[in-house]
Amino acid sequence: NAGVTQTPKFQVLKTGQSMTLQCAQDMNHEYMSWYRQDPGMGLRLIHYSVGAGITDQGEVPNGYNVSRSTTEDFPLRLLSAAPSQTSVYFCASSLGLAGSDTQYFGPGTRLTVL
Amino acid sequence: AQSVTQPDIHITVSEGASLELRCNYSYGATPYLFWYVQSPGQGLQLLLKYFSGDTLVQGIKGFEAEFKRSQSSFNLRKPSVHWSDAAEYFCAVGRGSQGNLIFGKGTKLSVKP
């Protein structure tokens, strides 16, 4: 059982480039979310989805786009990368809502924007 | 608005000593409370959670936490720390049906041999 997988593990981008961070889960979880982790800031919610076809913004959505065409996949798109988006990105999933259920985290993607 | 405060950024304890990590939350109703642990270079893993009932909850790896409504606290404890417990610990509060989780900024635990 793979759980939550994220690719790539590491990525370096130049300012203005776009890219997609991949996230997949094989637990048939309805709820998925993306967080960014910055030193001293904890985890901040970027976007989340309560099921296929339904997404919503979290605390820090600017500069990011998501879609949820299947239950399994929840990609995060950076439209035009900026140095402020240098961070570690975590995808998480849960059977129920994140506010009341255990979240399962992927191993993270470390992104550097030059 | 709900919030979570972890007052200690970094704590160092000796192996075998007891541990208490503090967490205070701000939320009008009874919250859903969680402690997650992040080992270096890894994702987060749930240690324990509190929804209702007994205010002392047991988790994995010998950790426990106590919910104190009067103090708006949910402190994490372990009677005897092992070197493998060195990690970063995050307290989080959820609003149940509102869907989202708010994380504290984390406490990094170092363990001295």
Side-chain angles (χ1 to χ4, degrees):
Chain A
N1 195 346
V4 179
T5 58
Q6 292 183 237
T7 55
K9 286 188 180 298
F10 301 94
Q11 183 70 49
V12 179
L13 291 178
K14 294 181 180 178
T15 298
Q17 288 184 316
S18 63
M19 79 159 295
T20 299
L21 308 185
Q22 301 291 344
C23 174
Q25 52 91 9
D26 61 0
M27 297 173 282
N28 203 30
H29 286 172
E30 289 294 328
Y31 191 99
M32 295 185 74
S33 52
W34 276 102
Y35 295 90
R36 61 177 288 172
Q37 183 179 28
D38 302 292
M41 299 294 292
L43 275 77
R44 293 181 291 170
L45 182 65
I46 304 171
H47 285 286
Y48 65 97
S49 169
V50 299
I54 307 170
T55 63
D56 205 345
Q57 297 180 352
E59 180 185 356
V60 288
N62 292 341
Y64 306 96
N65 210 348
V66 292
S67 59
R68 183 98 179 268
S69 56
T70 67
T71 299
E72 295 78 20
D73 300 298
F74 190 43
L76 178 72
R77 296 182 189 84
L78 278 70
L79 308 172
S80 177
S84 61
Q85 293 179 303
T86 293
S87 187
V88 181
Y89 293 84
F90 289 99
C91 178
S93 73
S94 56
L95 189 60
L97 295 171
S100 59
D101 204 352
T102 301
Q103 287 203 87
Y104 295 85
F105 285 81
T109 294
R110 184 175 294 273
L111 175 69
T112 301
V113 182
L114 303 175
Chain B
Q2 63 188 98
S3 65
V4 180
T5 301
Q6 294 181 247
D8 304 304
I9 297 173
H10 190 187
I11 284 181
T12 300
V13 300
S14 297
E15 191 168 17
S18 63
L19 171 70
E20 182 169 28
L21 301 182
R22 296 182 290 164
C23 173
N24 294 97
Y25 67 90
S26 172
Y27 182 55
T30 299
Y32 290 71
L33 295 163
F34 304 80
W35 274 100
Y36 283 86
V37 60
Q38 183 181 30
S39 297
Q42 304 294 317
L44 279 72
Q45 179 186 19
L46 180 73
L47 276 178
L48 48 79
K49 58 188 177 185
Y50 171 78
F51 292 168
S52 64
D54 192 347
T55 56
L56 184 64
V57 294
Q58 303 296 322
I60 63 172
K61 305 183 181 186
F63 285 91
E64 67 179 24
E66 186 172 13
F67 171 59
K68 293 186 177 180
R69 184 188 303 275
S70 61
Q71 299 177 19
S72 297
S73 69
F74 189 56
N75 294 348
L76 182 71
R77 301 193 295 247
K78 186 170 185 178
S80 178
V81 168
H82 188 262
W83 63 266
S84 61
D85 294 324
E88 191 157 18
Y89 293 80
F90 293 92
C91 181
V93 60
R95 295 186 291 168
S97 62
Q98 295 299 310
N100 297 328
L101 207 58
I102 301 296
F103 283 87
K105 295 183 178 181
T107 297
K108 184 176 180 180
L109 173 66
S110 297
V111 181
K112 291 190 299 185

